Amino acid sequence: MGLFMILFTLIGGITLSAQSSINGTLSQKAGTIETTFLTFLTGTMFLTIFILFFGSGNVLALFEAPKWQLSAAFLGTMYLLLTVMAVPKIGVIAANIAGIAGQLIIGVVIDHFGWFNSMVITLDVRRAFALLFMMIALYFIYRGNKRSVKESTVQQV
Amino acid sequence: MRFIFYVLALLAGAALSFEGAIYAELGKSIGQIETSFYNFFMGAIIMGLLLIFFRKGKISYAFEAPRWTLLGGVLGVVYLTSIVVSVPFVGVGITMVAVIIGQLVMSMVIEHFGWLGSKRTGINKEKVFAVVSMVIALILIN
């Protein structure tokens, strides 16, 4: 079950990267806020139909859910806002890599302490090494992208 | 001063992990697809408000744009739902590592071929090293 979940989540990551390319193309002409709004709007429309036919949960239970759980919706907006602030100052690649580092570190910390009722997975040596390898990967992506950018500007000249 | 913007970018990423952990909890009580629905519904309201007050672009372009450029929302649904479903089973850490690997590897492929309107940037030695390190990390964390 765990392995299946990991594969499912990998697909989630794949669709996310396709989404950012598509949204990048759209936002050049429509604008950032406009594109994000359209993303949420079409997502809502799709899910409305999907829930009506296949929903097994209870949407109305939203009104009884603890408010701190509902506040997660603002975190996604906060991500967008902070990224938009950081990109012009440090560049897209650096902003993305710093963002991913934050995501990984906090992800492991949440597991370690079992925050938000999540399952407790302690930060052992294996996990620390996994984090280290992710950081190495990020470093190589940074280097690789810098080289691609340099090569493409040389070609343009 | 640049230092502050690195911290802001780190916080942005941290927000995503918090979001994943909290939505997993909400998913247990109201259902996973319902949680995705809530996220997109609230997101549309928040962005709708921002759009009314801070719009700079051209929303009507949606009716002129090539249709495939409007598929972002549907793709986002797959991403969010996969997180809400996966976190209770394997935890936030593995979920985030898997999402990030899928995202980074696919970005490399998309950029290598210049798909979906992206600028073509080839895969090089450094990027291959990066993928190898990520796979090692996934094996270690699991």
Side-chain angles (χ1 to χ4, degrees):
Chain A
M1 197 64 180
L3 193 69
F4 174 74
M5 285 301 158
I6 292 173
L7 284 176
F8 187 37
T9 321
L10 278 170
I11 294 172
I14 289 173
T15 55
L16 188 62
S17 95
Q19 185 205 46
S20 34
S21 301
I22 292 178
N23 279 357
T25 308
L26 182 63
S27 70
Q28 282 169 8
K29 287 201 179 140
T32 314
I33 296 179
E34 287 76 7
T35 302
T36 316
F37 172 70
L38 286 170
T39 303
F40 281 115
L41 187 68
T42 51
T44 307
M45 290 169 167
F46 175 75
L47 282 165
T48 306
I49 298 173
F50 199 82
I51 281 183
L52 285 175
F53 287 94
F54 305 106
S56 49
N58 181 8
V59 187
L60 295 176
L62 270 174
F63 296 103
E64 288 130 46
K67 297 291 176 271
W68 66 267
Q69 290 180 5
L70 299 182
S71 68
F74 296 97
L75 291 170
T77 322
M78 206 172 98
Y79 166 76
L80 283 172
L81 208 67
L82 291 174
T83 312
V84 169
M85 281 164 78
V87 165
K89 302 282 176 187
I90 58 176
V92 184
I93 301 168
N96 280 337
I97 288 182
I100 291 172
Q103 201 177 344
L104 287 173
I105 295 165
I106 296 300
V108 172
V109 169
I110 292 173
D111 278 347
H112 183 77
F113 295 106
W115 287 343
F116 311 114
N117 265 334
S118 69
M119 149 168 85
V120 180
I121 306 172
T122 43
L123 176 57
D124 56 3
V125 186
R126 268 176 75 100
R127 284 210 140 202
F129 268 104
L131 266 189
L132 182 70
F133 273 103
M134 283 306 284
M135 296 301 163
I136 293 173
L138 293 177
Y139 169 73
F140 276 124
I141 284 175
Y142 180 73
R143 284 263 309 266
N145 275 319
K146 255 177 99 172
R147 207 164 70 132
S148 307
V149 169
K150 215 188 257 170
E151 276 164 5
S152 64
T153 42
V154 168
Q155 276 166 12
Q156 277 163 16
V157 173
Chain B
M1 271 323 264
R2 273 166 67 95
F3 170 75
I4 291 173
F5 291 96
Y6 280 99
V7 176
L8 288 183
L10 274 169
L11 284 176
L16 288 187
S17 277
F18 281 124
E19 186 186 54
I22 296 173
Y23 274 154
E25 200 52 28
L26 185 62
K28 285 181 209 162
S29 57
I30 70 164
Q32 282 112 7
I33 302 169
E34 287 74 10
T35 300
S36 274
F37 169 78
Y38 166 73
N39 177 65
F40 281 86
F41 184 71
M42 268 303 266
I45 293 175
I46 297 168
M47 291 316 296
L49 278 172
L50 287 177
L51 184 72
I52 290 169
F53 290 105
F54 303 105
R55 73 199 148 90
K56 277 196 225 132
K58 194 171 158 232
I59 188 85
S60 61
Y61 179 71
F63 296 102
E64 300 154 34
R67 312 288 152 87
W68 64 268
T69 59
L70 301 172
L71 289 174
V74 176
L75 293 169
V77 168
V78 179
Y79 157 75
L80 197 85
T81 312
S82 75
I83 285 188
V84 178
V85 172
S86 160
V87 166
F89 285 97
V90 291
V92 191
I94 294 178
T95 302
M96 291 306 162
V97 168
V99 161
I100 290 164
I101 291 177
Q103 200 183 340
L104 290 175
V105 173
M106 193 59 190
S107 307
M108 285 181 203
V109 175
I110 289 175
E111 288 182 354
H112 183 75
F113 294 107
W115 287 341
L116 307 174
S118 70
K119 212 178 122 218
R120 248 181 111 150
T121 30
I123 288 177
N124 50 28
K125 199 172 64 210
E126 283 88 348
K127 290 185 186 173
V128 175
F129 281 147
V131 175
V132 174
S133 311
M134 286 190 282
V135 172
I136 296 173
L138 189 62
I139 293 167
L140 281 175
I141 206 166
N142 192 16

